[in-house]
């Protein structure tokens, strides 16, 4: 973007198809649309801090990410975003998300969104799925909450402290450690819960 300390940045929307490794140095981005291949993932996309004016209230704190196909890692090293909304009209995959300051992650759209790695997200982030569903390969943080909808949710949790709900779809929850103060409610549908025998005994004893 302008990258000058005397003016504000101006690029609010970026749309790329079959991208290579890409970077935007700017503080004004609000909408990012990325389309990767059907079988081969595109490159990565990074938003970095620019020298543009960043006075309070002048830069967005919410980013909408429209996904299609297979897309590489998306990162924001500027740390300005506290809310990330992902829309997938059809099934789509993003290799990783790195948004350290995001406290609200909303996943929507008719397709199932696959997030192969949550490299970094706010430690207490609230994750909400309202569309076709979401698959998050890496385990959620123990203090991160999850609220699913009617889609197919696939998540992994450890010693969660939150009341995890996956909604009414046919959901899959992998439990990798004994619950903390948290719980899982898989709702209606044909759901699958996996855990070790030891963790199952511990969970049974606490109910």
């Amino acid at each position: 973007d302008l990258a000058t300390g005397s003016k504000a940045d101006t690029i609010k929307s970026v749309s790329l198809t079959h991208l290579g490794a890409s970077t935007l140095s700017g503080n004004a981005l609000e909408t990012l649309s990325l389309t990767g291949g059907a079988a081969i993932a595109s490159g990565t996309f990074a938003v970095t801090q620019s020298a543009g004016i960043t006075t309070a209230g002048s830069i967005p704190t919410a980013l909408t990410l429209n996904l299609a196909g297979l897309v590489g890692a998306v990162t924001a090293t500027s740390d300005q975003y506290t809310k990330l909304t992902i829309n997938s009209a059809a099934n789509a995959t993003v290799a990783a998300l790195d948004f350290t300051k995001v406290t609200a992650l909303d996943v929507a759209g008719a397709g199932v969104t696959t997030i192969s790695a949550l490299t970094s997200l706010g430690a207490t982030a609230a994750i909400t799925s309202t569309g076709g569903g979401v698959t998050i390969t890496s385990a959620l943080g123990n203090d991160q909450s999850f609220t699913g909808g009617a889609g197919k949710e696939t998540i992994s949790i450890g010693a969660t402290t939150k009341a995890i709900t996956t909604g009414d779809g046919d959901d899959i929850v992998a439990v990798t450690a004994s619950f903390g103060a948290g719980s899982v409610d898989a709702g209606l549908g044909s759901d699958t819960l996996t855990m070790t025998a030891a963790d199952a005994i511990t969970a049974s004893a606490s109910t």
Side-chain angles (χ1 to χ4, degrees):
D1 214 325
L2 296 177
T4 171
S6 62
K7 296 181 180 180
D9 291 330
T10 59
I11 297 177
K12 295 183 177 183
S13 178
V14 170
S15 180
L16 297 173
T17 299
H18 301 305
L19 60 148
S22 305
T23 300
L24 171 67
S25 178
N27 305 314
L29 187 66
E30 298 175 348
T31 303
L32 175 62
S33 300
L34 301 177
T35 299
I40 299 176
S42 72
T44 59
F45 189 92
V47 184
T48 63
Q49 187 76 50
S50 85
I53 294 175
T54 58
T55 53
S58 67
I59 61 174
T61 57
L63 177 67
T64 296
L65 172 60
N66 299 315
L67 284 179
L70 305 177
V71 175
V74 180
T75 65
T77 59
S78 59
D79 288 342
Q80 73 188 67
Y81 298 109
T82 58
K83 181 177 181 179
L84 176 63
T85 299
I86 300 177
N87 293 314
S88 299
N91 293 354
T93 297
V94 58
L97 294 176
D98 189 347
F99 287 79
T100 304
K101 300 298 183 181
V102 163
T103 57
L105 171 60
D106 296 341
V107 183
V112 175
T113 300
T114 297
I115 303 170
S116 298
L118 277 177
T119 305
S120 182
L121 201 67
T124 59
I127 303 169
T128 304
S129 174
T130 59
V134 63
T135 294
I136 303 175
T137 303
S138 53
L140 304 185
N142 292 339
D143 295 320
Q144 293 174 343
S145 64
F146 183 90
T147 303
K152 182 179 179 63
E153 323 294 355
T154 302
I155 61 172
S156 175
I157 60 173
T160 182
T161 64
K162 301 297 184 180
I164 304 295
T165 61
T166 59
D168 293 343
D170 296 340
D171 308 312
I172 300 173
V173 180
V175 180
T176 62
S178 298
F179 288 158
S183 61
V184 174
D185 181 349
L188 299 176
S190 178
D191 304 307
T192 302
L193 179 69
T194 64
M195 63 176 64
T196 67
D199 289 337
I201 292 171
T202 301
S204 298
S206 64
T207 57

